[in-house]
Amino acid sequence: MDHNLANNLPNLKWMHCLWAGVDRFTRSFSPSGPFPSYLLTRNGDFFCIQMAEYVFGYIIDKERHITEMKKLKEQSLWKRLPYRTLSELTLGIVGFGDIGKEIARVAKAFQMNVWALVKSFPKDDEQCQHVDEYRLSSDLPELLAASDYVVSILPSVPSTDGFFDGDILSHCSPKLTTFMNIGRGNVVKDETIIAALDRGWIGGAVLDVFSVEPLPEDSPLWTHPKVIVTPHIAGLCISGSKIAGDFVQNYDRFVKGETLPYTVDWDKGY
């Protein structure tokens, strides 16, 4: 349903969004309100596995030179390339919700060192067993410097606009971190990525989301040799039966007056 239509239905009580991100709705209101009276829920854990697969597909491709090996095969070249095991590497996760926690779980299966950027430190009994180090948003430079890969899963809210712009990515230079964005494109401008690559701050970029989508044909990201571009597909797979099943469960809760999982907090925007 279009958000403008939803906002003009005075009797609307509850609406369910099929995406994990709901910025097309929350961005239609001023951050200071007033906000709608209806409940908005989202698909919270639905895309976790798909997006984790995306992240590790590209990490393994890069570390094990899978793309390069295909090119060598096409040239009939027998050439061994050195590689690192994932257990040697640190993964920094920026945006530690359900998707971030699933990525951390998979990372730990590979024995990676996992850092998570959070707004506030979780209590001891709420800490994720798959995280080695927590850092606050103010400690972003430290996380960037420590990470071989950084994956952004930040939502699109006013506080994340330009989150990685400016010279913050210069802190990636000690390890030539690979920057991955599977959250929302508002967190970094295309020119920021290009500048970080050309200045030797980051070693590569895997980008699934952009400030303008589709990515314009004249964007330099398309032709940069150290950039992988995908068309917002990290969480594309949708199972109709699971969507229907989750909705029915939520509907039963709604008619009983129970709390609905993944209810959007209008103040936070997610």
Side-chain angles (χ1 to χ4, degrees):
M1 180 183 290
D2 182 83
H3 63 83
N4 291 316
L5 176 59
N7 297 337
N8 287 288
L9 296 175
N11 295 322
L12 181 63
K13 302 300 182 184
W14 165 48
M15 182 169 64
H16 181 66
C17 177
L18 299 181
W19 311 288
V22 292
D23 45 285
R24 66 184 304 176
F25 294 97
T26 57
R27 287 279 191 169
S28 64
F29 302 100
S30 167
S32 59
F35 300 118
S37 59
Y38 62 84
L39 289 175
L40 176 63
T41 54
R42 61 185 181 85
N43 273 337
D45 62 351
F46 188 79
F47 299 102
C48 294
I49 293 175
Q50 294 96 320
M51 297 182 82
E53 288 177 352
Y54 177 96
V55 168
F56 288 96
Y58 281 106
I59 291 178
I60 293 171
D61 176 87
K62 181 177 176 65
E63 294 303 322
R64 286 300 185 116
H65 310 292
I66 293 174
T67 299
E68 289 86 347
M69 287 296 175
K70 183 177 183 295
K71 294 177 181 178
L72 292 173
K73 183 259 184 184
E74 292 170 351
Q75 301 172 60
S76 302
L77 290 178
W78 181 279
K79 183 179 179 180
R80 292 176 173 173
L81 300 176
Y83 59 82
R84 303 179 295 183
T85 64
L86 269 61
S87 61
E88 302 173 58
L89 307 180
T90 296
L91 174 66
I93 302 173
V94 181
F96 201 62
D98 291 306
I99 295 170
K101 290 180 175 66
E102 175 63 12
I103 290 172
R105 184 190 69 80
V106 178
K108 267 304 161 193
F110 287 109
Q111 300 180 35
M112 295 184 78
N113 188 35
V114 178
W115 288 41
L117 197 76
V118 293
K119 285 187 174 181
S120 60
F121 288 117
K123 299 177 182 177
D124 290 344
D125 59 348
E126 295 176 350
Q127 293 188 7
C128 176
Q129 62 178 323
H130 309 301
V131 173
D132 298 287
E133 300 281 349
Y134 283 101
R135 290 295 184 273
L136 298 177
S137 297
S138 57
D139 300 318
L140 177 60
E142 183 183 359
L143 180 143
L144 295 176
S147 300
D148 297 281
Y149 288 85
V150 166
V151 56
S152 173
I153 327 168
L154 290 170
S156 177
V157 293
S159 62
T160 64
D161 287 340
F163 194 83
F164 292 100
D165 284 333
D167 62 357
I168 191 68
L169 291 179
S170 65
H171 296 281
C172 294
S173 58
K175 288 191 170 184
L176 286 178
T177 308
T178 295
F179 178 78
M180 311 179 79
N181 189 6
I182 62 171
R184 284 293 185 265
N186 68 301
V187 302
V188 64
K189 295 183 179 68
D190 296 356
E191 52 265 37
T192 299
I193 296 294
I194 295 295
L197 288 164
D198 292 346
R199 293 171 182 171
W201 293 350
I202 61 176
V206 179
L207 308 173
D208 188 54
V209 290
F210 307 88
S211 57
V212 177
E213 295 183 6
L215 184 66
E217 293 182 4
D218 60 353
S219 171
L221 293 174
W222 285 113
T223 54
H224 199 290
K226 294 184 178 180
V227 175
I228 292 172
V229 170
T230 57
H232 206 145
I233 58 166
L236 186 62
C237 300
I238 296 178
S239 166
S241 60
K242 185 175 186 340
I243 287 176
D246 287 352
F247 181 82
V248 168
Q249 290 180 12
N250 251 2
Y251 177 77
D252 288 340
R253 295 186 183 100
F254 177 75
V255 296
K256 294 176 182 176
E258 298 175 356
T259 300
L260 303 183
Y262 301 111
T263 296
V264 172
D265 184 325
W266 291 108
D267 289 314
K268 294 180 178 179
Y270 54 88

